[in-house]
Amino acid sequence: MSRQVAYGSGLVPVAYHQFLLSDEDGPAAADLPAAHNGLIEVTDGEIVVLTGVSNGDVDVTVTLHETEPVPNDEDWQEIVEISAHSASGELMVRAMMDDLDEELPVLSFNGPGDYRLRVHARGRDTAVDLTPEEVTEWYLVQAWPASQQDVAVLRQRDSYGASHRAR
């Protein structure tokens, strides 16, 4: 059983259907098209989480673990794992256009090096292409130190993701 070392949750501003998991000092991952899995893509080294809403806030929870955690199956519609590298030790959840009101825990909590990120999503079909006043989408990002591995798709159940995979 993996011990959770930190937890944080907050609202993340979305712009252009996305928010980022990135390290300012270098590429976090190799390029990956959105059509690969429909939840995350990698462009210019930044891991982009694709949202159904075009703008507004989404609820993001971050949990940090010493080793790989048991998958959180609850009611998540999409789950994808990706390896990430942090050059600076500052691999973080970031908004494209705004700063976060409250920063979430740093994903690269053990400093510079390699990590595995498991990204969960639900609610992406609720307000597609809209700017809702209330939160309609939720995300969970689990992070733990791990060597580089291929991207793994654990679940694909929403229509928004399917639309990206069909491109």
Side-chain angles (χ1 to χ4, degrees), residues 40-70:
I40 57 175
E41 68 180 7
V42 182
T43 304
D44 297 329
E46 290 187 314
I47 299 168
V48 178
V49 180
L50 305 170
T51 65
V53 298
S54 63
N55 295 287
D57 290 332
V58 295
D59 187 295
V60 178
T61 298
V62 169
T63 60
L64 308 177
H65 304 266
E66 291 178 334
T67 59
E68 180 179 355
V70 174

Side-chain angles (χ1 to χ4, degrees), residues 81-103:
E81 284 185 9
I82 188 168
S83 291
H85 179 77
S86 177
S88 69
E90 295 291 320
L91 179 66
M92 301 173 68
V93 175
R94 301 176 195 276
M96 279 194 55
M97 308 296 254
D98 297 310
D99 290 330
L100 304 185
D101 288 340
E102 292 183 37
E103 285 193 4

Side-chain angles (χ1 to χ4, degrees), residues 11-154:
L11 298 180
V12 174
V14 166
Y16 304 105
H17 288 279
Q18 56 195 306
F19 66 92
L20 307 173
L21 308 176
S22 66
D23 186 311
E24 289 183 346
D25 283 356
D31 284 358
L32 178 74
H36 175 273
N37 61 71
L39 176 58
I40 57 175
E41 68 180 7
V42 182
T43 304
D44 297 329
E46 290 187 314
I47 299 168
V48 178
V49 180
L50 305 170
T51 65
V53 298
S54 63
N55 295 287
D57 290 332
V58 295
D59 187 295
V60 178
T61 298
V62 169
T63 60
L64 308 177
H65 304 266
E66 291 178 334
T67 59
E68 180 179 355
V70 174
N72 182 332
D73 285 337
E74 290 180 15
D75 56 351
W76 299 105
Q77 296 167 313
E78 301 270 321
I79 306 173
V80 175
E81 284 185 9
I82 188 168
S83 291
H85 179 77
S86 177
S88 69
E90 295 291 320
L91 179 66
M92 301 173 68
V93 175
R94 301 176 195 276
M96 279 194 55
M97 308 296 254
D98 297 310
D99 290 330
L100 304 185
D101 288 340
E102 292 183 37
E103 285 193 4
L104 296 167
V106 174
L107 299 169
S108 53
F109 62 97
N110 266 358
D114 293 328
Y115 292 84
R116 190 74 171 166
L117 307 177
R118 185 180 295 141
V119 180
H120 305 68
R122 72 172 174 258
R124 295 192 309 163
D125 293 339
T126 305
V128 175
D129 297 332
L130 301 177
T131 304
E133 292 185 27
E134 309 247 332
V135 171
T136 61
E137 297 181 31
W138 293 264
Y139 296 83
L140 168 64
V141 180
Q142 296 174 311
W144 64 95
S147 60
Q148 294 287 316
Q149 302 168 43
D150 291 338
V151 174
V153 176
L154 305 179

